[in-house]
Amino acid sequence: MSDDRLVGIVLVSHSAAVAAAVAELAQGLVGGGPRVPIAPAGGTEGGGLGTSSELVVAAAASVDRGAGVAVLTDLGSAVLTVKALLSEGDELPDDTRLVDAPFVEGAVAAVVTAATGADLDAVVAAAAEAYSYRKA
């Protein structure tokens, strides 16, 4: 399966390094499956810590294949940035959703699920379900 109609994933972190590392981890765990369109949007344009609307918009555009875009965030202001973009209505691709999920586990679940060709609802549900993963 090609990535022509896979759900895109955007990872918004206050750190470019964290966003990139989580994207690499999630994509790596898909194995030999299709390459899910995933883009980190970490830090600010100048490379500092923070959240950038412009980087989020660019990342979402880069992963949009027409099947929807799932956006996962790390901390509070990243959430607020994405919510503001969604409320504007014209900055992000149609059918972009902010996913309430843990950042690392949710990203892995979202990417693995997207790689199966699942729709946006299934990708969002898989990421959100990661809250129930028990570690002890």
Side-chain angles (χ1 to χ4, degrees):
M1 171 187 298
S2 72
D3 73 357
D4 291 348
R5 292 289 296 167
L6 295 179
V7 171
I9 312 291
V10 174
L11 302 178
V12 183
S13 173
H14 285 69
S15 163
V18 168
V22 173
E24 180 183 358
L25 172 68
Q27 188 66 62
L29 292 176
V30 171
R35 184 146 183 87
V36 173
I38 183 170
T44 64
E45 290 88 353
L49 295 177
T51 306
S52 163
S53 295
E54 292 79 12
L55 291 178
V56 174
V57 169
S62 77
V63 301
D64 181 23
R65 305 291 187 273
V69 176
V71 181
L72 288 90
T73 60
D74 64 355
L75 301 170
S77 64
V79 174
L80 295 175
T81 298
V82 175
K83 283 184 175 182
L85 289 168
L86 288 169
S87 72
E88 291 170 15
D90 62 350
E91 293 286 328
L92 296 173
D94 291 340
D95 219 2
T96 296
R97 291 199 213 153
L98 174 60
V99 182
D100 184 11
F103 193 61
V104 175
E105 295 91 335
V108 170
V111 171
V112 169
T113 303
T116 70
D119 66 12
L120 182 59
D121 288 335
V123 170
V124 168
E129 187 177 305
Y131 271 128
S132 67
Y133 296 172
R134 303 289 306 173
K135 296 179 184 175

